[in-house]
Each structure stands twice: as C-alpha cells, then as structure tokens.
Amino acid sequence: MRFSYLLLLAGLCAGVSPARAASDPVTGTPARAIPTVRRHLIYFTNKTGTPFSLSQPGAFLSARALQRRTRQGIALKPRDLPVNPAYVAQVKAVAGTRLWYTSRWFNAAIVSCDSTTLAQIRTLSCVQGAQTLNRGQGGPRQPEKEPVAPAERPSSAPADYGIAYNQAQMIGAVTMHNANFRGEGMQIAVFDAGFPSVNQMAVFAPLLQEQRLISTFNVVDKNTDVFQRNDHGTLCLSTLAGNQPGVFIGTAPKASYRLFITEDIGSEHPVEEANWLVAAEYADSAGVDVISSSLGYSTFDVPSANYTYADMNGRTAISTRAATVAARVGMLVVNSAGNEGNSAWRYITAPADADSILTVGAVTAQRNHAAFSSYGPSADGRIKPNVVAQGQQAALVYPTGPGYGSGTSFSCPIMAGMATAFWQSSPTLGVQQVIQFLQRSGSLAANPNNTLGYGIPNFVTAYNLANPSTPLAAASALPAAEALAVYPNPSREEALFLHLSPAFRGTPLRVRLFDARGTLVRELQLAPAGAAEVRLPALPLAKGIYTCLVSSGKAQQTVRLVKL
C-alpha cells in the first residue's frame, strides 16, 4: 500500500530474503536450498456440495448483517455462502500447507506453502487456479514526503471542536451534531496499519468507556492485537471517533467501531489486498455499516505485480474487486483517492477505482484542491474522486496530542464520519442512495470533474434532499467565517482574540468568563468594533475549561475556552 498519508514516519521492517543454498564448510559442496514459502490465493471451482444453505444464513451471517441486507432489499446470493469445507480440507491435507483464511466472495483460500506444494495443490480437482500474493525480497518501504506548502493558521473554532472545527464545519458536520446525529447505532470498520495508544489516549476514552469499540482483528498476524505497529490508523481514527470536548471532536464521535490491521508497512505485496478482502468479509458478516479505508495500491516490491493505470477499471485489482462486493452487500465503502497528484502516476489507486463506493479526494482549509490529491477518472471513464474533504493540514490527534497532517488518508475518514451520521439521519436509504445524495449536495454537483468530483458535500443539503418533507434549517450551518469564536483555543497564551459573527459587530459588547463551577472570573466591556477580529486584554487564567458569554444589545451567545 502507498499510504494516503503524507507525514508518515514508518517503522521499517527488514524483509525476508529468499533462502540461499549454503556450502558445507569442509567439503564446499552446496547444501540443499530451503524452499521459499509464500502466500497464495487458491481459487476453488465451485461451491457444490457445501453444507451451508441460503435458506439458513444465520450459520454464516450475523443477525445485524441480515438486517442490513433486508433493509436495503439485497437478496442473498451464492457468493455469500462459505467455501466448501471439504475443498478446504483437501487443500490442508497437502503436506506443507498452512491455511490462513478463506474467502466467501472469491470462493478461495489464502494459504502459505512452497512452490512444490503449490504445484500439488493445483492438481486437486476442486482447485480452479492460484495467484501468488508475495514474491521476492520485501524491502523496507520509504515514507512518503509531505508536499512543500506554507503553514496554515487553523480557522477560529468553537471550543468543543478545538483544531478540528474547520474540517467538520466545511462539510456540515457541526450542524449535523447539533441536530443530534453523531453516529449513534452505526458501526464503522477502519482498515489500516496499526492503532498504537488508542487504548490509552484521552480522546478515545468515551469510545472505550461506553464499550463502542466492539472488536479488533489483526489480519496480518491473525490475532486480536491492534494497539501496535504504525500509528497511521490511530491518526485516521481520531478524525472519526475522537471525542474530547474542548480539545478535539471527530465527525462520528458516537458511532461504534471495529478496527482491523490489514497493512504491513514493512513490504508491499498483493497479500495486503487479500488482507483487505478478509477484513471486508469479516465486517460484512458482523453487520458493519461503513468501511473507512485510507489505503491504496498501485506498485509493489516486485515490479511484475504492479498495476497500470489501465488496471484502474473497477474490475482488476484484488482490493477493488473486494470493495465492489462490499458495496453490493450493502456496506458503504469510503476509500481515499490517493496522494499521486504530484507524481508520475497522477491517478487514483486501487481500490479507489471501484464502482459503487465513495472515493474521497483532498482540499485545503480554503476549499481548494490539494496538489497531492490523486486525479480521476477511473480507467473506464467514471468520475473519481466522488467527493472531497479537507486533507491538507487536517487536524488529527497523535499519541502525543493534537496536531496536523496532510493526505487523502485524512479527508477519507473525515468524510466517512459525516456519511455515517448522514445515513443515521436517513436510515431507510440504501447505500447507493447515500452516495447519490452526498454527491448531489456537493459544491460542484451541477458540474462535477475529475479533480474534485462532485465537490465538497454538505450535511444539511444532503439531508434536505433526502427528507424534503422535514427539512433542517440551514441557518445554523454558518461557515467558519460567520461563527462567533475565541482563539487560540486551546490556548497557552494570555492574549486571546474574538472572532465576531455579524450579529456582534458594530455594537458594544459585554464579555463574561465563567469557570467550570459557574463562577464569574472575569468581565470585560468592549467598545463597538466594525472588524471581525477583536483582541481581548491579557487574561491571566488558570488551567481549565471556561465558558465565554458574549452579549450585545440584541444577541447573546456562549463559546467554550480551554486554557492549557
């Protein structure tokens, strides 16, 4: 995978070299070479004779998975049936074979074995073919570099969101949260390279305390330990599930989550796409609603496995085929477009080329195309990306605290959280209707292109399109420039500024600060100001959370301030 993340400081792992024939130290005679063991995708001929039945789906799909299908009118098909256990047993019986996983959708098994054993497996009558998933030496992957760009001062924001306000407000997520759609009752699966410190960070405390982290699965190592490896997953998850008022709020702070490690950053082979497939089938069977995947594939450690742009046609790459089936069974797949906009490749990477999924590109805080964000179309001419969200200088929470990062890796989960809560607000929609309404709400809906797709979606617009008889008022969906705010926030400084909405400009203001116990700690009288920015007198405040009440002759509003 080429991370859709541009500030990656990857832990580099040495690849495993093919075994070489050593010489006897006395005679000099070459010793027998140790066969190289690789992973392979073994395709079966059919599902004939399987003990599983579409009339008894509870044997392989959860009640929640079945409810998702029923709600969207999706019929069960033979692809939903598990592989024939008898076929799996035949493969396992070949000496030297280790079974890793099976795939319902591909009617296949993932095994590891050497080439001699693979040849034996190919002779089985139940086997249709095989695809090798990793070859040669897996060299360490060099981290991608962030494109050079001037530092941006984050937009002023209501204190609850901290530095995450602009990216949430841009797509209408603040209004969405105020309308009580925060992802409650929805399940999101996050596929990534690791989630270190998630079980220790304050921003995720509600997720753990409220038992909304439902499951974890490390597909790479075949265990449940995901709080390890690369922190790319931690950063992506923060934009979704972060919930620390006064510091950071993600776009789906009340959803439930299932975390998957599918990516091994130590090397790059198609086996990671097979891991994506395994995770998607797990998510399907568990009843997940939305998959957020900030992953992309185009080139590999062995050039012969590389894709070409012509392969970005929605039906070639393993991960693309898996994402397409995931959409067909009723899950909303949200995938990053990729960071190839400045590279020779330029275009989207797999599985962003899949049809029926929501591919997300990146814009700046000023709503302009981020230069690194991959371009469309797909090789067969479909508009990609579908939509965009902030990805340059996006707000994140690192294990060490809040910060910024750039990449479509972050615009993807920011958008996935909004899409999840939008679906929560309109639960009778099918997954393709969700995508259509989000596209129709986009800033370029009337004239989409292959740079920004349908543009920046907006929750209120999408909601009103989906619910014309009960529309939400758009008045509360003020852009950042029209919102009352105090900044910097959180603040370590005594100097503070007020960003005044139009209702507070040109009139005397009374500003009162209350501590967390409701005690008035400071009161200010401000002369009328026609400008939007007002510098407050130095305020020597103790650490804590404060409520700032701003009053004019006709309006009154509160915002929160966090003093660090």
Side-chain angles (χ1 to χ4, degrees), residues 296-298 308-309 312-314 336-341 345-354 359-361 373-380 382-386 450:
Y297 304 92
S298 57
T308 65
Y309 172 60
M312 300 296 106
N313 56 15
S336 53
N339 296 326
E340 307 301 325
W345 175 276
R346 178 179 167 85
Y347 294 105
I348 55 172
T349 54
D353 63 311
T359 298
V360 186
S373 185
S374 287
Y375 293 87
S378 62
D380 57 336
R382 287 172 288 112
I383 288 177
K384 291 288 179 177
N386 299 81
N450 287 302

Side-chain angles (χ1 to χ4, degrees), residues 43 57 60 84 107 114 121 129 131 253 262 299 358 414 430 519 549:
Y43 293 94
F60 50 90
N84 190 331
N107 191 26
D114 60 31
I121 292 174
Q131 179 178 356
T262 63
T299 59
L358 194 67
I414 290 168
T519 302
L549 177 62

Side-chain angles (χ1 to χ4, degrees), residues 155-381:
S155 301
S156 55
D160 277 356
Y161 288 82
I163 62 174
Y165 178 75
N166 191 70
Q167 62 202 36
Q169 180 71 3
M170 182 183 294
I171 56 177
V174 174
T175 303
M176 178 179 73
H177 295 164
N178 290 338
N180 294 318
F181 301 117
R182 301 177 178 87
E184 291 91 340
M186 303 291 287
Q187 285 193 18
I188 302 175
V190 182
F191 299 175
D192 221 292
F195 304 88
S197 302
V198 164
N199 55 339
Q200 301 170 345
M201 295 165 62
V203 76
F204 298 119
L207 177 66
L208 301 174
Q209 293 166 358
E210 297 165 15
Q211 299 182 333
R212 290 184 286 106
L213 180 52
I214 301 176
S215 68
T216 60
F217 187 49
N218 181 339
V219 185
V220 174
D221 297 323
K222 203 172 185 179
N223 59 43
T224 60
D225 183 8
V226 301
F227 305 123
Q228 58 161 312
R229 292 180 171 261
N230 190 271
D231 70 358
H232 185 262
T234 302
L235 306 184
C236 291
L237 182 64
S238 71
T239 70
L240 279 161
N243 191 6
Q244 189 178 5
V247 177
F248 193 100
I249 294 180
T251 49
K254 288 292 185 178
S256 296
Y257 290 86
R258 297 181 185 271
L259 307 183
F260 296 82
I261 292 181
T262 63
E263 194 64 31
D264 183 354
I265 66 164
S267 60
E268 186 78 339
H269 295 290
V271 68
E272 290 157 313
E273 292 191 88
N275 292 343
W276 202 106
L277 166 68
V278 170
E281 292 192 26
Y282 182 118
D284 169 38
S285 64
V288 160
D289 301 297
V290 177
I291 293 172
S292 179
S293 162
S294 294
L295 304 172
Y297 304 92
S298 57
T299 59
F300 300 96
D301 289 346
V302 178
S304 62
N306 289 353
Y307 295 124
T308 65
Y309 172 60
D311 292 325
M312 300 296 106
N313 56 15
R315 57 183 181 273
T316 298
I318 293 173
S319 58
T320 298
R321 290 155 52 203
T324 300
V325 179
R328 297 286 189 270
V329 300
M331 290 186 289
L332 174 62
V333 179
V334 186
N335 205 94
S336 53
N339 296 326
E340 307 301 325
N342 283 329
S343 75
W345 175 276
R346 178 179 167 85
Y347 294 105
I348 55 172
T349 54
D353 63 311
D355 71 4
S356 307
I357 76 167
L358 194 67
T359 298
V360 186
V363 294
T364 68
Q366 290 75 34
R367 305 168 69 94
N368 300 316
H369 175 252
F372 56 79
S373 185
S374 287
Y375 293 87
S378 62
D380 57 336

Side-chain angles (χ1 to χ4, degrees), residues 483-485 501 504 548-551 555-559:
L484 177 71
S501 61
F504 293 97
C548 180
L549 177 62
V550 181
S551 307
Q556 179 170 289
Q557 189 173 339
T558 62
V559 293

Side-chain angles (χ1 to χ4, degrees), residues 15 79 110 137 264 305 315 327 339 352 371 382 406 411 421 425 439 463-464 524 528:
R79 70 182 174 208
I110 299 172
Q137 180 173 347
D264 183 354
R315 57 183 181 273
N339 296 326
R382 287 172 288 112
S406 293
S411 57
S425 76
Q439 290 181 163
Y463 180 90
N464 290 346
L524 304 170

